[in-house]
Amino acid sequence: RSTPSEPETATRTATPSPAATVETPTLAANPQVSARQVVGHLAYQEKHYIPLSGVNPNQPLTVEMVVDPATHPAAGAALNVYIVSSRDWEQIINDGIHPQQAHQEVGRAEGPVGHIQASIGQPSPPHYVVVVNDDQLPANYTLSISNGSFGQ
């Protein structure tokens, strides 16, 4: 008699490559990337890079980041989410430019405490998301997307 197997999940782990790079990787899969959500942990000066796919250029693109702890003092400032174009991506990866200087959209505190949103009204793919923690206090985060999906 065979036993039922567990269904496969759509969760993928971002791996270092030009398409998805994680600086200062940890032993655990960090961040955990699925089509609709990214869950990660950022230490001081750590950045996570996540490609976007399936973005419809005729609909707004919104990425929301929920920070834990919600009262993190740097949320929306030194702890933030950026949407970057492929041109911005090249500057960040090849030239070492900080996403704060090379981005199409930066996150802003929206709604409840600890919620940060970055939106583009008329996206022109391809796009990438960069999550940055330049604050000494580490943080956990969850990203969600309204148009398209995370990963390739």
Side-chain angles (χ1 to χ4, degrees), residues 21-26 45-49:
T21 304
V22 179
E23 292 181 6
T24 319
T26 60
Q45 292 189 329
E46 190 172 13
K47 298 173 184 67
H48 291 169
Y49 301 91

Side-chain angles (χ1 to χ4, degrees), residues 41-101:
H41 174 83
L42 289 169
Y44 176 52
Q45 292 189 329
E46 190 172 13
K47 298 173 184 67
H48 291 169
Y49 301 91
I50 303 121
L52 301 182
S53 60
V55 174
N56 181 341
N58 298 314
Q59 295 179 3
L61 165 63
T62 300
V63 174
E64 181 178 47
M65 180 168 79
V66 178
V67 177
D68 181 25
T71 57
H72 193 290
L79 173 63
N80 215 332
V81 61
Y82 300 88
I83 300 174
V84 301
S85 68
S86 57
R87 180 180 48 82
D88 301 329
W89 176 258
E90 294 299 323
Q91 289 182 323
I92 292 166
I93 298 302
N94 296 330
D95 302 333
I97 304 295
H98 192 283
Q100 190 173 20
Q101 281 76 45

Side-chain angles (χ1 to χ4, degrees), residues 36 52 54-63 83 117-125 127 145-148:
R36 306 299 303 164
L52 301 182
V55 174
N56 181 341
N58 298 314
Q59 295 179 3
L61 165 63
T62 300
V63 174
I83 300 174
Q117 283 189 355
S119 296
I120 298 174
Q122 295 180 316
S124 178
H127 287 290
I145 189 168
S146 69
N147 173 8

